Amino acid sequence: MIKYQESEEMYLETILLLKQKSANVHAINVAEELGYSKPSVSRGMGLLVKKGYITIASGGEIQFTEEGRIKAEGIYERHTVITKLLEMAGATREIAEENACRIEHVITPELFEILKMYVKNG
C-alpha cells in the first residue's frame, strides 16, 4: 500500500509542478519528468481518474478535480516545508530535497503541523 501511495502522491505533485510551468499537461509530460515508461504513467493516470483526483480531456490534457488540486497542493506543501526544515538543520539543498521526498510519504499529519509551525517561526 505504501508503494502505491507514494507513486500516487508523486504523480499528483509532478502534475502540479508541471502545471506551474504550462497549463497544458499530458501523460507524456509526466512520463518524461519522472523518467517512467508511458504505460506505467498511463496506468497511474487511470488510477488517479478512478479516485477522482484528475480528469483527462479528449485531447489528453490532464486537469485536476477540486479534490485532486487540494491533495496535490498538500503534498507539495509537505515537500517544501520538510525541505526547508532539513536545510535549516544544515543539509544541502540536494540532500534536503532527496530526503524530503522520502519523509513526506510517512510523516503523520500531527508531526507535520508541528514542523510547519517550527519552520514558519524559525
Side-chain angles (χ1 to χ4, degrees):
M1 180 64 184
I2 293 286
K3 187 159 179 65
Y4 172 73
Q5 182 70 21
E6 288 177 11
S7 61
E8 173 184 295
E9 291 182 357
M10 187 172 297
Y11 283 134
L12 290 170
E13 185 177 16
T14 300
I15 294 166
L16 181 69
L17 293 174
L18 288 170
K19 283 192 159 296
Q20 289 176 356
K21 298 175 191 173
S22 170
N24 296 321
V25 175
H26 296 80
I28 187 68
N29 306 119
V30 176
E32 290 170 353
E33 183 71 19
L34 293 174
Y36 290 179
S37 71
K38 292 177 201 171
S40 292
V41 171
S42 180
R43 181 179 177 278
M45 295 302 105
L47 293 171
L48 293 178
V49 168
K50 189 174 183 178
K51 290 190 95 171
Y53 294 140
I54 64 169
T55 59
I56 300 177
S58 60
E61 184 180 334
I62 299 168
Q63 292 295 329
F64 281 119
T65 62
E66 182 67 15
E67 181 182 2
R69 183 188 55 75
I70 290 168
K71 184 165 179 75
E73 288 173 351
I75 294 162
Y76 185 62
E77 179 186 36
R78 283 197 321 259
H79 181 91
T80 56
V81 166
I82 294 167
T83 298
K84 179 69 176 166
L85 175 70
L86 296 174
E87 288 179 313
M88 289 170 64
T92 65
R93 180 77 175 176
E94 183 179 334
I95 290 171
E97 286 277 345
E98 179 184 335
N99 284 277
C101 285
R102 294 178 181 152
I103 295 167
E104 71 188 57
H105 301 294
V106 295
I107 193 169
T108 64
E110 297 83 9
L111 181 56
F112 174 70
E113 288 302 316
I114 291 167
L115 296 178
K116 185 166 89 171
M117 293 308 298
Y118 178 79
V119 168
K120 182 179 177 183
N121 297 324

